[in-house]
């Protein structure tokens, strides 16, 4: 189980329509055909869709993930997990508690964001399937992002949790992705490196 999760975290693309200059459906189609290993639908923040529009876009993105056989994870939206038959759910520290979510979704992938040792100590790490650790580098994508943790924190998290599936996030690019894997992360997660790329396939390959 944990090995399969770790493999899925290798190139974990996240986006919502607010991150895309072009058509999100085409962007995900290109990224999926180029080899991303998981996708998170994160329709959140300024300019994001809500209600039926969010659901309709979600259905299209979900079907691309089914076609390419990659996990489809929903960001912090319980109703959408059921409506889209998602493979899992990703939540932040301020969202619904992981214990509650685990009861609601015993068999779904549950991911949790962690940004410092305090959050790690106070999180039920044993209930999650993976953690999203970061921001490793500076990011402009998340308005409320926490302090940059650097590669050092990924190294120390790996020392503390030798077997925990860890995906690093925040400012990850084709230039620094290898350093993040060398620090001990199982994979890299990214928004702008692919959503804003001129050549999506090349970006995914280089990551
Ligand atoms: C797996 N998160 C932390 S930094 C960031 C986000 C969305 C922005 C990255 O954008 N871990 C996972 N999923 C999440 N949603 C988060 C953490 C929260 P960019 O790659 O453009 O720097």
């Amino acid at each position: 189980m944990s090995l399969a999760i770790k493999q899925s975290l290798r190139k974990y693309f996240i986006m919502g329509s607010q991150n895309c200059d072009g058509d999100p459906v085409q962007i995900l189609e290109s990224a999926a055909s180029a080899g991303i290993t998981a996708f998170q639908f994160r329709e959140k923040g300024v300019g994001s869709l809500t209600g039926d529009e969010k659901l309709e876009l979600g259905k299209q993105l979900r079907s691309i993930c089914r076609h390419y056989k990659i996990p489809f994870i929903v960001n912090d939206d319980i109703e959408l997990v059921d409506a889209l038959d998602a493979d899992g759910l990703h939540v932040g520290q301020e969202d619904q508690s992981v214990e509650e979510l685990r009861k609601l979704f015993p068999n779904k992938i549950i991911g949790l964001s962690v940004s410092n040792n305090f959050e790690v100590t106070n999180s039920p790490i044993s209930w999650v399937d993976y953690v999203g650790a970061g921001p490793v580098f500076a990011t402009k994508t998340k308005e409320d992002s926490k302090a940059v943790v650097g590669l050092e924190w990924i190294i120390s998290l790996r020392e503390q949790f030798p077997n925990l599936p860890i995906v690093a996030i925040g400012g990850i690019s084709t230039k620094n992705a290898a350093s993040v894997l060398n620090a001990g992360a199982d994979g890299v997660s990214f928004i702008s490196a692919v959503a804003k790329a001129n050549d999506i396939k090349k970006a995914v390959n280089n990551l």
Side-chain angles (χ1 to χ4, degrees):
M1 177 67 173
S2 141
L3 181 64
I5 295 266
K6 286 178 176 228
Q7 285 170 348
S8 303
L9 296 178
R10 182 64 185 76
K11 292 191 195 190
Y12 182 2
F13 180 39
I14 302 177
M15 69 69 172
S17 64
Q18 76 283 347
N19 303 122
C20 302
D21 298 325
D23 178 1
V25 175
Q26 276 174 19
I27 290 174
L28 181 58
E29 172 68 38
S30 301
S33 73
I36 57 163
T37 56
F39 174 68
Q40 182 187 127
F41 181 40
R42 181 176 176 275
E43 195 65 35
K44 201 173 203 173
V46 180
S48 57
L49 304 173
T50 56
D52 283 351
E53 285 182 328
K54 180 177 179 183
L55 178 64
E56 284 313 310
L57 174 59
K59 282 182 187 167
Q60 293 182 66
L61 301 179
R62 206 279 167 266
S63 89
I64 293 170
C65 291
R66 243 193 242 296
H67 179 255
Y68 287 95
K69 299 188 168 57
I70 57 176
F72 176 83
I73 313 281
V74 166
N75 183 287
D76 184 29
D77 188 329
I78 294 177
E79 281 168 34
L80 268 199
V81 173
D82 288 326
L84 299 176
D85 187 27
D87 298 301
L89 182 66
H90 185 92
V91 290
Q93 293 285 325
E94 286 79 31
D95 302 330
Q96 188 164 355
S97 90
V98 167
E99 287 103 324
E100 285 168 24
L101 293 172
R102 181 50 79 203
K103 282 179 198 142
L104 287 172
F105 303 113
N107 300 315
K108 304 267 186 203
I109 299 168
I110 297 181
L112 175 69
S113 301
V114 291
S115 299
N116 52 58
N117 288 332
F118 178 83
E119 289 178 358
V120 170
T121 311
N122 290 286
S123 297
I125 296 293
S126 58
W127 291 103
V128 304
D129 294 292
Y130 73 88
V131 294
V136 185
F137 307 110
T139 176
K140 290 186 206 129
T141 311
K142 193 175 188 297
E143 296 99 29
D144 58 346
S145 78
K146 304 210 171 123
V148 168
V149 301
L151 293 173
E152 299 70 26
W153 196 61
I154 302 299
I155 295 171
S156 93
L157 201 56
R158 174 52 75 215
E159 279 172 2
Q160 262 183 280
F161 299 95
N163 301 316
L164 178 68
I166 299 173
V167 67
I169 185 165
I172 288 177
S173 70
T174 54
K175 298 203 166 60
N176 62 29
S179 68
V180 173
L181 298 176
N182 287 331
D186 296 297
V188 287
S189 193
F190 41 83
I191 299 180
S192 44
V194 165
K196 302 281 189 206
N198 293 322
D199 186 335
I200 289 174
K201 296 198 175 184
K202 200 169 146 194
V204 171
N205 277 319
N206 291 341
L207 280 160

